[in-house]
C-alpha cells in the first residue's frame, strides 16, 4: 500500500487518503476518517495510539501531489495540533518536503509536528505497530526510563545538568542502540578510559568505536583523560573513539598525545544533546538514517596528531 502511495502516477486524493488509513489500520491503529475530500473536518484523519506507554492522539494531513510540501503546510499542521484536541500532528507526503518546511518543523520542537515521507512512515510503523505489551523485567524498565530521558533531553536540553553521570552513560547507550550500533556498557571503574563500546558492520566488516563520557559540574577533562582513551583504543584495535564531556575540555587537552592510534573526536554538551535529538528523530521516523560514523562524529572536533 505504501508502494502504491509512493509511486502510482494517477493516484486521486481519495485514494491517497484511503491508502494511508489502510496502512495505519493494518499496523493495528484505530483510525477515524474525519476530513477526507468532501468532508468538513479540519484534519484528514486521526488515530489514538500508545507511544512509550503514553496515550497519544495524532492528527494526520495527507499530501498526494508530485511536488515537495512547503512551509505553509507545516504551519497548518501546527495550528491543528495547538487548536484541536491532539497531542501531535503529522504531515504525510509522497513527494518529500522543502528545506524550508523541514527547518520549520525542526524549529517548532520535538514531538509536535512530524514530517513523513513513505520511507519515514515505514520506519515508524516498524517501531510502533501495536502489539501486546510484553512482560516487564527490571532491566527493561530501566532501559525504558533511559529511553524516556533521552527524549526529555532532546526536548529540554537544560535538564542535562539534572542527570547523574552513570545515568547519562545509560542514556547514551540507548541512543547509540537506536542509531543501529550494538553496544556494551562497561561496569563502573572496570575499564578506565572507556564507558561504551560500539560495534557495527560497515563496508562489509565489523568496526569498533569507543566512547568515554565525562559529566562533571566544575571539572573539565584534560590531556591525561585523552591519552588514556587513545591507549585503550590502540589496545582494542578500535576504528575510532569519542570523548564526550558535558563541561567541555581544558585548553591543553591535546598536549603530549601518542603519535599512533585511531581517530579521536571530542564532543561537548551540545554534542550530547544533538545525539539525543537525532535519536528522537530516528525513533519517530522523522529522519532517514545516516551512515553510523556520520551520526557518531557529526558536531565533534577531530584531534590532529
Amino acid at each position: 500500500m505504501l508502494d502504491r502511495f509512493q509511486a502510482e502516477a494517477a493516484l486521486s486524493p481519495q485514494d491517497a487518503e484511503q491508502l494511508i488509513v489502510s496502512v495505519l489500520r493494518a499496523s493495528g491503529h484505530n483510525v477515524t476518517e474525519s476530513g477526507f475530500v468532501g468532508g468538513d473536518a479540519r484534519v484528514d484523519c486521526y488515530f489514538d495510539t500508545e507511544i512509550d506507554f503514553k496515550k497519544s492522539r495524532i492528527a494526520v494531513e495527507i499530501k498526494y501531489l508530485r511536488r515537495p510540501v512547503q512551509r505553509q503546510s507545516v504551519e497548518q499542521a501546527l495550528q491543528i495540533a495547538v487548536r484541536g484536541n491532539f497531542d501531535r500532528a503529522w504531515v504525510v507526503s509522497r513527494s518529500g518536503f522543502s528545506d524550508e518546511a523541514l527547518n520549520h518543523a525542526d524549529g517548532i520542537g520535538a514531538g509536535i509536528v512530524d514530517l513523513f515521507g513513505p520511507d519515514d512512515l515505514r520506519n515508524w510503523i516498524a517501531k510502533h505497530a501495536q502489539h501486546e505489551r510484553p512482560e516487564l523485567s527490571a532491566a527493561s524498565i530501566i532501559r525504558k526510563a533511559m529511553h524516556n530521558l533521552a527524549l526529555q533531553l532532546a526536548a529540554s536540553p537544560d535538564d542535562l545538568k539534572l542527570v547523574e553521570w552513570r545515568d547519562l552513560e545509560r542514556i547514551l547507550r540507548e541512543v547509540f542502540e537506536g542509531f543501529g550500533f550494538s553496544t556494551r556498557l562497561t561496569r563502573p571503574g572496570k575499564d578506565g578510559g572507556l564507558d561504551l563500546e560500539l560495534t557495527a558492520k560497515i563496508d562489509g566488516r565489523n568496526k569498533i568505536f569507543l566512547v568515554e563520557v565525562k559529566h562533571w559540574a566544575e571539572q573539565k577533562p584534560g590531556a591525561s583523560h585523552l591519552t588514556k582513551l587513545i591507549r585503550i583504543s590502540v589496545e582494542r584495535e578500535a576504528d575510532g573513539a569519542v570523548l564526550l564531556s558535558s563541561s567541555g575540555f581544558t585548553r591543553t587537552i591535546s598536549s603530549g598525545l601518542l603519535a599512533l592510534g585511531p581517530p579521536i573526536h571530542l564532543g561537548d554538551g551540545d554534542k550530547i544533546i544533538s545525539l539525543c535529538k537525532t535519536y528522537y528523530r530516528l525513533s519517530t521516523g522523522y529522519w532517514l538514517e545516516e551512515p553510523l560514523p556520520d551520526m557518531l562524529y557529526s558536531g565533534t572536533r577531530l584531534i590532529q596528531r
Side-chain angles (χ1 to χ4, degrees), residues 204-226:
R205 75 176 185 88
N206 289 325
K207 293 191 177 183
I208 299 174
F209 304 89
L210 307 183
V211 180
E212 174 72 356
V213 183
K214 300 298 183 186
H215 187 39
W216 298 333
E218 299 176 1
Q219 260 185 300
K220 295 181 179 181
S224 64
H225 303 96
L226 183 58

PDB file of all heavy atoms in Angstrom, residues 204-226:
ATOM      1  N   GLY A 204      31.138  -3.917   4.937  1.00  0.00           N
ATOM      2  CA  GLY A 204      31.410  -5.339   4.891  1.00  0.00           C
ATOM      3  C   GLY A 204      32.215  -5.901   6.044  1.00  0.00           C
ATOM      4  O   GLY A 204      32.522  -7.102   6.044  1.00  0.00           O
ATOM      5  N   ARG A 205      32.573  -5.101   7.036  1.00  0.00           N
ATOM      6  CA  ARG A 205      33.306  -5.652   8.182  1.00  0.00           C
ATOM      7  C   ARG A 205      32.826  -5.002   9.470  1.00  0.00           C
ATOM      8  O   ARG A 205      32.291  -3.887   9.467  1.00  0.00           O
ATOM      9  CB  ARG A 205      34.815  -5.472   8.011  1.00  0.00           C
ATOM     10  CG  ARG A 205      35.341  -4.057   8.234  1.00  0.00           C
ATOM     11  CD  ARG A 205      36.860  -4.041   8.130  1.00  0.00           C
ATOM     12  NE  ARG A 205      37.424  -2.738   8.439  1.00  0.00           N
ATOM     13  CZ  ARG A 205      37.759  -2.338   9.675  1.00  0.00           C
ATOM     14  NH1 ARG A 205      37.549  -3.150  10.703  1.00  0.00           N
ATOM     15  NH2 ARG A 205      38.292  -1.142   9.875  1.00  0.00           N
ATOM     16  N   ASN A 206      33.024  -5.722  10.568  1.00  0.00           N
ATOM     17  CA  ASN A 206      32.650  -5.199  11.879  1.00  0.00           C
ATOM     18  C   ASN A 206      33.653  -4.147  12.332  1.00  0.00           C
ATOM     19  O   ASN A 206      34.862  -4.405  12.345  1.00  0.00           O
ATOM     20  CB  ASN A 206      32.586  -6.327  12.910  1.00  0.00           C
ATOM     21  CG  ASN A 206      31.392  -7.231  12.680  1.00  0.00           C
ATOM     22  OD1 ASN A 206      30.332  -6.779  12.262  1.00  0.00           O
ATOM     23  ND2 ASN A 206      31.555  -8.522  12.947  1.00  0.00           N
ATOM     24  N   LYS A 207      33.147  -2.977  12.682  1.00  0.00           N
ATOM     25  CA  LYS A 207      34.008  -1.900  13.158  1.00  0.00           C
ATOM     26  C   LYS A 207      33.668  -1.576  14.612  1.00  0.00           C
ATOM     27  O   LYS A 207      32.522  -1.711  15.038  1.00  0.00           O
ATOM     28  CB  LYS A 207      33.860  -0.653  12.284  1.00  0.00           C
ATOM     29  CG  LYS A 207      34.379  -0.858  10.864  1.00  0.00           C
ATOM     30  CD  LYS A 207      34.470   0.451  10.099  1.00  0.00           C
ATOM     31  CE  LYS A 207      35.062   0.237   8.710  1.00  0.00           C
ATOM     32  NZ  LYS A 207      35.228   1.522   7.977  1.00  0.00           N
ATOM     33  N   ILE A 208      34.687  -1.149  15.350  1.00  0.00           N
ATOM     34  CA  ILE A 208      34.554  -0.867  16.779  1.00  0.00           C
ATOM     35  C   ILE A 208      34.822   0.614  17.016  1.00  0.00           C
ATOM     36  O   ILE A 208      35.809   1.174  16.520  1.00  0.00           O
ATOM     37  CB  ILE A 208      35.555  -1.713  17.595  1.00  0.00           C
ATOM     38  CG1 ILE A 208      35.281  -3.208  17.397  1.00  0.00           C
ATOM     39  CG2 ILE A 208      35.493  -1.347  19.078  1.00  0.00           C
ATOM     40  CD1 ILE A 208      36.317  -4.100  18.045  1.00  0.00           C
ATOM     41  N   PHE A 209      33.936   1.237  17.803  1.00  0.00           N
ATOM     42  CA  PHE A 209      34.099   2.631  18.209  1.00  0.00           C
ATOM     43  C   PHE A 209      33.959   2.697  19.732  1.00  0.00           C
ATOM     44  O   PHE A 209      33.052   2.090  20.303  1.00  0.00           O
ATOM     45  CB  PHE A 209      33.046   3.519  17.545  1.00  0.00           C
ATOM     46  CG  PHE A 209      33.035   3.434  16.043  1.00  0.00           C
ATOM     47  CD1 PHE A 209      32.250   2.488  15.399  1.00  0.00           C
ATOM     48  CD2 PHE A 209      33.815   4.287  15.282  1.00  0.00           C
ATOM     49  CE1 PHE A 209      32.240   2.390  14.009  1.00  0.00           C
ATOM     50  CE2 PHE A 209      33.805   4.199  13.887  1.00  0.00           C
ATOM     51  CZ  PHE A 209      33.020   3.249  13.252  1.00  0.00           C
ATOM     52  N   LEU A 210      34.857   3.431  20.378  1.00  0.00           N
ATOM     53  CA  LEU A 210      34.837   3.550  21.828  1.00  0.00           C
ATOM     54  C   LEU A 210      34.353   4.936  22.228  1.00  0.00           C
ATOM     55  O   LEU A 210      34.641   5.936  21.546  1.00  0.00           O
ATOM     56  CB  LEU A 210      36.239   3.304  22.403  1.00  0.00           C
ATOM     57  CG  LEU A 210      36.918   1.995  21.980  1.00  0.00           C
ATOM     58  CD1 LEU A 210      38.261   1.856  22.686  1.00  0.00           C
ATOM     59  CD2 LEU A 210      36.030   0.790  22.254  1.00  0.00           C
ATOM     60  N   VAL A 211      33.624   5.001  23.334  1.00  0.00           N
ATOM     61  CA  VAL A 211      33.088   6.273  23.832  1.00  0.00           C
ATOM     62  C   VAL A 211      33.385   6.382  25.324  1.00  0.00           C
ATOM     63  O   VAL A 211      33.069   5.467  26.100  1.00  0.00           O
ATOM     64  CB  VAL A 211      31.564   6.382  23.602  1.00  0.00           C
ATOM     65  CG1 VAL A 211      31.050   7.723  24.133  1.00  0.00           C
ATOM     66  CG2 VAL A 211      31.224   6.216  22.124  1.00  0.00           C
ATOM     67  N   GLU A 212      34.005   7.482  25.712  1.00  0.00           N
ATOM     68  CA  GLU A 212      34.206   7.810  27.129  1.00  0.00           C
ATOM     69  C   GLU A 212      33.358   9.041  27.440  1.00  0.00           C
ATOM     70  O   GLU A 212      33.355  10.025  26.676  1.00  0.00           O
ATOM     71  CB  GLU A 212      35.682   8.085  27.413  1.00  0.00           C
ATOM     72  CG  GLU A 212      35.989   8.582  28.817  1.00  0.00           C
ATOM     73  CD  GLU A 212      35.845   7.523  29.902  1.00  0.00           C
ATOM     74  OE1 GLU A 212      35.436   6.384  29.588  1.00  0.00           O
ATOM     75  OE2 GLU A 212      36.130   7.831  31.068  1.00  0.00           O
ATOM     76  N   VAL A 213      32.614   8.995  28.551  1.00  0.00           N
ATOM     77  CA  VAL A 213      31.683  10.071  28.914  1.00  0.00           C
ATOM     78  C   VAL A 213      32.118  10.697  30.227  1.00  0.00           C
ATOM     79  O   VAL A 213      32.312  10.001  31.232  1.00  0.00           O
ATOM     80  CB  VAL A 213      30.244   9.523  29.052  1.00  0.00           C
ATOM     81  CG1 VAL A 213      29.275  10.667  29.348  1.00  0.00           C
ATOM     82  CG2 VAL A 213      29.819   8.775  27.787  1.00  0.00           C
ATOM     83  N   LYS A 214      32.283  12.024  30.224  1.00  0.00           N
ATOM     84  CA  LYS A 214      32.589  12.782  31.433  1.00  0.00           C
ATOM     85  C   LYS A 214      31.444  13.767  31.673  1.00  0.00           C
ATOM     86  O   LYS A 214      31.157  14.608  30.822  1.00  0.00           O
ATOM     87  CB  LYS A 214      33.915  13.541  31.296  1.00  0.00           C
ATOM     88  CG  LYS A 214      35.123  12.650  31.049  1.00  0.00           C
ATOM     89  CD  LYS A 214      35.374  11.700  32.194  1.00  0.00           C
ATOM     90  CE  LYS A 214      36.625  10.863  31.962  1.00  0.00           C
ATOM     91  NZ  LYS A 214      36.795   9.833  33.014  1.00  0.00           N
ATOM     92  N   HIS A 215      30.829  13.658  32.835  1.00  0.00           N
ATOM     93  CA  HIS A 215      29.685  14.521  33.168  1.00  0.00           C
ATOM     94  C   HIS A 215      29.962  15.167  34.520  1.00  0.00           C
ATOM     95  O   HIS A 215      29.470  14.735  35.551  1.00  0.00           O
ATOM     96  CB  HIS A 215      28.406  13.680  33.204  1.00  0.00           C
ATOM     97  CG  HIS A 215      27.145  14.472  33.365  1.00  0.00           C
ATOM     98  ND1 HIS A 215      26.934  15.683  32.745  1.00  0.00           N
ATOM     99  CD2 HIS A 215      26.015  14.217  34.088  1.00  0.00           C
ATOM    100  CE1 HIS A 215      25.741  16.146  33.073  1.00  0.00           C
ATOM    101  NE2 HIS A 215      25.168  15.272  33.894  1.00  0.00           N
ATOM    102  N   TRP A 216      30.803  16.204  34.476  1.00  0.00           N
ATOM    103  CA  TRP A 216      31.262  16.880  35.683  1.00  0.00           C
ATOM    104  C   TRP A 216      30.679  18.283  35.741  1.00  0.00           C
ATOM    105  O   TRP A 216      30.534  18.963  34.721  1.00  0.00           O
ATOM    106  CB  TRP A 216      32.785  16.948  35.711  1.00  0.00           C
ATOM    107  CG  TRP A 216      33.457  15.603  35.746  1.00  0.00           C
ATOM    108  CD1 TRP A 216      32.947  14.445  36.250  1.00  0.00           C
ATOM    109  CD2 TRP A 216      34.758  15.285  35.255  1.00  0.00           C
ATOM    110  NE1 TRP A 216      33.850  13.429  36.121  1.00  0.00           N
ATOM    111  CE2 TRP A 216      34.979  13.904  35.519  1.00  0.00           C
ATOM    112  CE3 TRP A 216      35.779  16.016  34.633  1.00  0.00           C
ATOM    113  CZ2 TRP A 216      36.155  13.257  35.175  1.00  0.00           C
ATOM    114  CZ3 TRP A 216      36.960  15.376  34.299  1.00  0.00           C
ATOM    115  CH2 TRP A 216      37.144  14.014  34.564  1.00  0.00           C
ATOM    116  N   ALA A 217      30.391  18.734  36.947  1.00  0.00           N
ATOM    117  CA  ALA A 217      29.800  20.065  37.123  1.00  0.00           C
ATOM    118  C   ALA A 217      30.851  21.169  36.998  1.00  0.00           C
ATOM    119  O   ALA A 217      30.593  22.228  36.423  1.00  0.00           O
ATOM    120  CB  ALA A 217      29.108  20.153  38.484  1.00  0.00           C
ATOM    121  N   GLU A 218      32.062  20.939  37.518  1.00  0.00           N
ATOM    122  CA  GLU A 218      33.069  22.001  37.565  1.00  0.00           C
ATOM    123  C   GLU A 218      34.358  21.633  36.834  1.00  0.00           C
ATOM    124  O   GLU A 218      34.998  22.480  36.228  1.00  0.00           O
ATOM    125  CB  GLU A 218      33.384  22.355  39.026  1.00  0.00           C
ATOM    126  CG  GLU A 218      32.152  22.872  39.780  1.00  0.00           C
ATOM    127  CD  GLU A 218      32.444  23.129  41.249  1.00  0.00           C
ATOM    128  OE1 GLU A 218      33.611  22.926  41.668  1.00  0.00           O
ATOM    129  OE2 GLU A 218      31.520  23.539  41.965  1.00  0.00           O
ATOM    130  N   GLN A 219      34.769  20.367  36.894  1.00  0.00           N
ATOM    131  CA  GLN A 219      35.995  19.935  36.240  1.00  0.00           C
ATOM    132  C   GLN A 219      35.823  19.803  34.743  1.00  0.00           C
ATOM    133  O   GLN A 219      34.709  19.642  34.236  1.00  0.00           O
ATOM    134  CB  GLN A 219      36.434  18.575  36.799  1.00  0.00           C
ATOM    135  CG  GLN A 219      37.535  18.646  37.827  1.00  0.00           C
ATOM    136  CD  GLN A 219      37.981  17.256  38.217  1.00  0.00           C
ATOM    137  OE1 GLN A 219      37.188  16.465  38.705  1.00  0.00           O
ATOM    138  NE2 GLN A 219      39.239  16.958  38.005  1.00  0.00           N
ATOM    139  N   LYS A 220      36.973  19.845  34.044  1.00  0.00           N
ATOM    140  CA  LYS A 220      36.992  19.557  32.612  1.00  0.00           C
ATOM    141  C   LYS A 220      38.089  18.532  32.342  1.00  0.00           C
ATOM    142  O   LYS A 220      39.180  18.630  32.898  1.00  0.00           O
ATOM    143  CB  LYS A 220      37.289  20.831  31.802  1.00  0.00           C
ATOM    144  CG  LYS A 220      36.214  21.902  31.905  1.00  0.00           C
ATOM    145  CD  LYS A 220      36.582  23.110  31.057  1.00  0.00           C
ATOM    146  CE  LYS A 220      35.491  24.175  31.140  1.00  0.00           C
ATOM    147  NZ  LYS A 220      35.818  25.358  30.304  1.00  0.00           N
ATOM    148  N   PRO A 221      37.809  17.528  31.530  1.00  0.00           N
ATOM    149  CA  PRO A 221      38.857  16.556  31.214  1.00  0.00           C
ATOM    150  C   PRO A 221      39.998  17.199  30.441  1.00  0.00           C
ATOM    151  O   PRO A 221      39.787  18.104  29.633  1.00  0.00           O
ATOM    152  CB  PRO A 221      38.125  15.495  30.386  1.00  0.00           C
ATOM    153  CG  PRO A 221      36.913  16.170  29.869  1.00  0.00           C
ATOM    154  CD  PRO A 221      36.531  17.211  30.866  1.00  0.00           C
ATOM    155  N   GLY A 222      41.212  16.677  30.684  1.00  0.00           N
ATOM    156  CA  GLY A 222      42.399  17.225  30.046  1.00  0.00           C
ATOM    157  C   GLY A 222      43.208  16.165  29.329  1.00  0.00           C
ATOM    158  O   GLY A 222      42.692  15.109  28.952  1.00  0.00           O
ATOM    159  N   ALA A 223      44.510  16.442  29.186  1.00  0.00           N
ATOM    160  CA  ALA A 223      45.392  15.595  28.380  1.00  0.00           C
ATOM    161  C   ALA A 223      45.464  14.170  28.907  1.00  0.00           C
ATOM    162  O   ALA A 223      45.523  13.213  28.128  1.00  0.00           O
ATOM    163  CB  ALA A 223      46.783  16.214  28.316  1.00  0.00           C
ATOM    164  N   SER A 224      45.470  13.989  30.239  1.00  0.00           N
ATOM    165  CA  SER A 224      45.598  12.637  30.785  1.00  0.00           C
ATOM    166  C   SER A 224      44.399  11.767  30.410  1.00  0.00           C
ATOM    167  O   SER A 224      44.542  10.570  30.131  1.00  0.00           O
ATOM    168  CB  SER A 224      45.755  12.698  32.308  1.00  0.00           C
ATOM    169  OG  SER A 224      44.580  13.251  32.916  1.00  0.00           O
ATOM    170  N   HIS A 225      43.196  12.365  30.384  1.00  0.00           N
ATOM    171  CA  HIS A 225      41.995  11.601  30.026  1.00  0.00           C
ATOM    172  C   HIS A 225      42.015  11.233  28.543  1.00  0.00           C
ATOM    173  O   HIS A 225      41.631  10.121  28.167  1.00  0.00           O
ATOM    174  CB  HIS A 225      40.751  12.414  30.353  1.00  0.00           C
ATOM    175  CG  HIS A 225      40.679  12.837  31.784  1.00  0.00           C
ATOM    176  ND1 HIS A 225      41.103  14.075  32.200  1.00  0.00           N
ATOM    177  CD2 HIS A 225      40.257  12.178  32.904  1.00  0.00           C
ATOM    178  CE1 HIS A 225      40.925  14.180  33.509  1.00  0.00           C
ATOM    179  NE2 HIS A 225      40.423  13.034  33.952  1.00  0.00           N
ATOM    180  N   LEU A 226      42.467  12.168  27.710  1.00  0.00           N
ATOM    181  CA  LEU A 226      42.542  11.887  26.282  1.00  0.00           C
ATOM    182  C   LEU A 226      43.590  10.820  25.991  1.00  0.00           C
ATOM    183  O   LEU A 226      43.359   9.899  25.198  1.00  0.00           O
ATOM    184  CB  LEU A 226      42.853  13.169  25.515  1.00  0.00           C
ATOM    185  CG  LEU A 226      42.901  13.051  23.989  1.00  0.00           C
ATOM    186  CD1 LEU A 226      41.594  12.518  23.430  1.00  0.00           C
ATOM    187  CD2 LEU A 226      43.246  14.389  23.360  1.00  0.00           C
TER     188      LEU A 226
END
